[in-house]
Amino acid sequence: WGNYLVSRADVIGTTPAEKIAVFEEALGHYQTGLKHASFTRETGQLHFQRGKCLVTMAEHETDPHRNREHYRQAISAFTEVAAIPTRANSTDLNSLWGVTLIKLGQLDRNPSQYREAIQRLTVALEKEPADPSYNYNIACAYARLRNAERAMHYLRICFERSEEHTSELQSQ
C-alpha cells in the first residue's frame, strides 16, 4: 500500500502539503510492514522503499529543516538495507544513496557527504559501468568538492556512455 501511495502522490495530493501527507501515510504503512516482516528480504525491501519515500518527500518539502531531516532519515533507512549482505552492493541502493548524500551535502555544505556519495556511486558504477548516470553523479560530487579534474574525467565518460547508449538504441 505504501508503494501505491508514493506512486500516486501527485494525483492524490494537489498541494505540497497534501502530497507530504500522502508520503507520511505511506511511511506509516512501511513502519507497520517492518513490524510484521519476518524475512530479511522483506525487511530490506521495506527499508529501501521507506528510504525512497523519504527522498521523494524531501524533494516535495518546502521547509529546508524538514527537507534535511527527510534526507537524513532516508540515509538511515539505506544503512539498514546495507546491513543485509545480499542487498549491500545493489546498484539501486547505492545509486539512490549516493544521490541522496549529494543533496544532503548541498544542504549541509559538508564535503564528507560528497566523498561518501562518490563511494556509493562507485559501487553502482562497478556493477553497471554502461550506465552514464553514475558517472554524471560522481562528476557532480567531484565538482562540489572543487576537484575540476576528476569532475571533468567522469563527465567525459558520461558523455561517451550516453553516445554509446544512444547509438545502441538507434540500431535496435
Side-chain angles (χ1 to χ4, degrees):
W1 185 243
N3 290 351
Y4 176 77
L5 289 171
V6 171
S7 71
R8 304 293 295 171
D10 287 334
V11 175
I12 298 169
T14 54
T15 67
E18 289 174 346
K19 291 175 186 177
I20 295 295
V22 172
F23 296 131
E24 286 172 349
E25 184 179 345
L27 288 173
H29 289 289
Y30 293 129
Q31 285 304 117
T32 300
L34 285 166
K35 289 178 188 173
H36 300 291
S38 54
F39 298 105
T40 305
R41 178 176 162 82
E42 290 173 343
T43 303
Q45 190 62 20
L46 285 165
H47 279 298
F48 181 71
Q49 293 301 329
R50 184 175 165 270
K52 279 177 61 173
C53 178
L54 286 159
V55 169
T56 306
M57 196 170 172
E59 291 168 351
H60 285 82
E61 186 62 69
T62 56
D63 179 341
H65 297 289
R66 281 187 274 175
N67 182 284
R68 182 179 281 116
E69 186 55 32
H70 296 319
Y71 284 134
R72 286 192 177 121
Q73 290 175 1
I75 289 168
S76 177
F78 298 148
T79 302
E80 292 288 334
V81 178
I84 301 168
T86 57
R87 292 282 295 168
N89 291 323
S90 69
T91 54
D92 57 346
L93 170 64
N94 284 288
S95 174
L96 186 56
W97 194 348
V99 170
T100 303
L101 284 161
I102 291 171
K103 291 176 180 181
L104 184 59
Q106 290 172 302
L107 292 170
D108 290 347
R109 297 186 179 158
N110 184 343
S112 68
Q113 290 165 327
Y114 298 129
R115 287 189 282 277
E116 187 178 349
I118 291 167
Q119 291 172 344
R120 293 287 163 200
L121 291 161
T122 299
V123 171
L125 180 63
E126 288 169 353
K127 293 264 187 185
E128 292 183 16
D131 190 326
S133 68
Y134 306 138
N135 288 290
Y136 174 80
N137 288 316
I138 292 170
C140 290
Y142 274 119
R144 291 283 177 178
L145 288 170
R146 301 189 192 291
N147 186 334
E149 184 178 325
R150 296 299 295 162
M152 289 304 297
H153 168 78
Y154 282 96
L155 206 51
R156 281 186 199 99
I157 294 171
C158 171
F159 288 133
E160 289 169 6
R161 300 268 159 81
S162 293
E163 289 173 3
E164 290 169 9
H165 185 67
T166 302
S167 295
E168 289 170 12
L169 289 176
Q170 289 174 346
S171 67
Q172 292 179 354

